[in-house]
Amino acid sequence: MKDYNYFSTLLVQNVGSKTRAIAPVIASSAAFGYESAQEAEGIFMGEVNNPLYARMGNPTTAKLESIVAKMESGLGAIATSSGMGALAMIMTAFLKSDDEVLCIGGFFGGTHTLVNETMRRFGVKSSFCAVDDFEHIEKKLQSGIKMVLIETVGNPSLELPDLPKIIELCNRYETLIVVDNTVTPLTIRPLEMGADIVMHSTTKAMSGHSASLGGVAVFRAVTEQDKLHNEKYKELHPIVNKMGKKAMIAISKKRGMRDMGMSANAFGSFLTMLGLETLALRLERVNSSIPIIAKILEEKLPSNIKVSHPSLATHPCHERYLSDYIQGCGPILTLECGDKATAFKLLNQLKLATQTANIGDNRTLALHMASTIYRDFDKATQEYLGVTDGLIRISIGLEDPKVIAEDFLQASTK
């Protein structure tokens, strides 16, 4: 069974080495020498597995990629300079002008602007729908769209999708599905459910220490009867036919990373691996703490402030939390304070929590959403994404859950 014990063993044993340098070695070179002209040709053809150029990866990053691929049960992975870099690589590699991506449920602000603004400037169309609007989802899939994008947990809406059902629909209609698993590494495993690509901002839980910006995309193997052979992906067929099971990795490197340059750096990859060693321990702690904190806050917060988390019976996704998210749904809970002034007052009275635009950190974090990440969004979009004037997003850390709850209680009553 793939529980926290399984992943603690997997990650520690794969990050460390048994001989010579135990910690990962940092390969800080931007360029790499080739033994011969023949080897250079083989490397550029993808037939020799040696470093090409740091923009296309380096040995330290390659080690990180192999670990994350095993963690997600993927064929391979590509690490990038940030989580947004991972998503930008996927979208620029697999989509072209006039293609459409369907975005299901609520999204992190950066993801929404990339899809809804930046990619539209290059002719890639996008549409959005509610997490359980299966009739709309199926109609879009029937129309021949090229990609579906979804987060395992809405950030900050805390909506929980029926991932198995959505993945099954995408596979039935031979449409690529990309799952952002940043909030739920280890606890949700989309590739094992049948998804095509899983991505993370490794800056968050994977690192945990706020010291390394990074992202990663993980890919399944391409099969002989693969959806990528569908005529709607015909521009990808030359790579698919040549590269076989590794085609998704080749597509992402040749049509995304090679030309856009969203490459991870060696030192960042090294720091991310240090975080990975303790990921399972940290996630177990956070996912056990957050229901305790949510319950205390639900019972003791002033009546004008409401806590939201799927572990609470009052949450609309509570039943799905109990059935599909049995190991937890990540570090986020939210407080609805009613208005900006109340939210600001509470935030400024906090003693333990850090105000910052991050999640998944070892320490507890908090942020007012409407005035920061979502400040440039119109009211209709904010409403769709679950952002109100009084919303505070909290990312629970490793501290004593009762002490965390006490900090928010004291801040809410002053």
Side-chain angles (χ1 to χ4, degrees):
M1 178 182 176
K2 292 184 177 180
D3 57 10
Y4 290 119
N5 285 325
Y6 170 88
F7 286 110
S8 281
T9 304
L10 174 78
L11 294 172
V12 169
Q13 288 295 309
N14 279 273
V15 172
S17 297
K18 294 283 192 296
T19 58
R20 290 174 287 279
I22 294 175
V25 176
I26 303 172
S28 58
S29 182
F32 303 92
Y34 317 126
E35 289 185 358
S36 65
Q38 288 81 1
E39 184 192 51
E41 181 183 40
I43 290 171
F44 275 75
M45 288 174 64
E47 296 177 353
V48 177
N49 191 26
N50 282 333
L52 187 156
Y53 184 71
R55 177 159 44 83
M56 299 294 282
N58 66 67
T60 309
T61 297
K63 185 175 179 68
L64 169 64
E65 291 166 344
S66 70
I67 296 166
V68 177
K70 289 177 183 177
M71 186 185 91
E72 284 283 11
S73 300
L75 173 71
I78 301 174
T80 57
S81 54
S82 68
M84 291 305 303
L87 182 56
M89 176 186 69
I90 293 164
M91 296 193 73
T92 54
F94 287 89
L95 301 175
K96 61 177 176 39
S97 180
D98 289 330
D99 287 344
E100 182 176 345
V101 56
L102 173 64
C103 303
I104 300 174
F107 284 89
F108 162 64
T111 300
H112 190 276
T113 54
L114 172 65
V115 172
N116 195 48
E117 297 178 16
T118 302
M119 294 306 297
R120 282 190 177 184
R121 295 206 309 268
F122 296 94
V124 175
K125 295 176 283 188
S126 58
S127 58
F128 298 80
C129 73
V131 71
D132 285 332
D133 191 350
F134 297 110
E135 182 179 353
H136 179 84
I137 292 168
E138 189 159 10
K139 285 182 179 179
K140 277 292 182 181
L141 292 170
Q142 290 171 338
S143 73
I145 62 169
K146 299 284 278 292
M147 182 178 287
V148 166
L149 179 62
I150 191 167
E151 296 185 358
T152 56
V153 179
N155 173 15
S157 68
L158 290 172
E159 291 179 315
L160 303 182
D162 186 342
L163 269 180
K165 183 171 182 176
I166 293 169
I167 290 171
E168 189 279 324
L169 283 169
C170 290
N171 289 336
R172 187 192 309 171
Y173 292 101
E174 297 190 325
T175 303
L176 287 171
I177 177 165
V178 180
V179 182
D180 186 338
N181 201 22
T182 296
V183 178
T184 49
L186 308 190
T187 59
I188 301 296
R189 295 184 285 280
L191 290 183
E192 294 178 8
M193 298 178 189
D196 301 300
I197 304 171
V198 170
M199 59 154 289
H200 294 263
S201 169
T202 62
T203 314
K204 312 301 192 295
M206 284 194 185
S207 295
H209 40 54
S210 288
S212 177
L213 186 69
V216 69
V218 191
F219 307 88
R220 63 165 176 82
V222 174
T223 65
E224 291 183 1
Q225 305 299 322
D226 204 274
K227 65 175 70 172
L228 283 178
H229 292 295
N230 189 297
E231 184 64 16
K232 66 185 176 183
Y233 299 110
K234 62 183 179 181
E235 70 276 5
L236 304 177
H237 287 176
I239 300 177
V240 173
N241 294 333
K242 180 181 180 181
M243 299 304 298
K245 67 179 183 179
K246 296 182 179 179
M248 285 197 189
I249 300 170
I251 289 166
S252 298
K253 286 200 170 186
K254 291 178 179 292
R255 291 169 56 94
M257 177 173 282
R258 180 181 64 187
D259 298 333
M260 302 296 181
M262 59 281 286
S263 318
N265 71 83
F267 188 62
S269 296
F270 167 79
L271 290 174
T272 301
M273 282 188 277
L274 296 187
L276 278 176
E277 288 191 327
T278 60
L279 177 62
L281 295 174
R282 293 184 285 107
L283 289 182
E284 185 173 20
R285 167 74 172 182
V286 168
N287 281 305
S288 64
S289 291
I290 199 164
I292 297 171
I293 296 165
K295 189 65 176 175
I296 293 172
L297 295 182
E298 183 181 51
E299 293 174 352
K300 296 185 177 181
L301 278 171
S303 59
N304 64 315
I305 301 174
K306 304 296 183 184
V307 63
S308 177
H309 187 265
S311 65
L312 299 172
T314 53
H315 194 278
C317 293
H318 179 64
E319 292 302 319
R320 188 165 290 161
Y321 172 84
L322 294 177
S323 61
D324 296 354
Y325 291 74
I326 56 176
Q327 289 184 302
C329 64
I332 299 173
L333 61 76
T334 62
L335 297 181
E336 176 52 67
C337 299
D339 56 63
K340 177 181 174 180
T342 304
F344 271 35
K345 182 180 178 181
L346 188 154
L347 285 166
N348 292 335
Q349 296 291 344
L350 291 170
K351 297 177 181 179
L352 180 146
T354 301
Q355 293 190 55
T356 187
N358 196 18
I359 60 170
D361 199 83
N362 293 337
R363 53 199 62 77
T364 295
L365 316 174
L367 190 69
H368 181 253
M369 293 282 95
S371 65
T372 55
I373 295 172
Y374 297 89
R375 66 171 296 107
D376 295 330
F377 289 37
D378 59 54
K379 287 295 182 183
T381 304
Q382 286 184 353
E383 183 178 352
Y384 167 73
L385 296 173
V387 176
T388 65
D389 288 340
L391 187 73
I392 295 173
R393 183 187 68 188
I394 303 165
S395 176
I396 298 300
L398 303 180
E399 305 95 341
D400 183 329
K402 293 181 180 179
V403 174
I404 296 172
E406 287 169 3
D407 189 38
F408 283 92
L409 291 175
Q410 67 81 23
S412 67
T413 54
K414 288 187 176 180

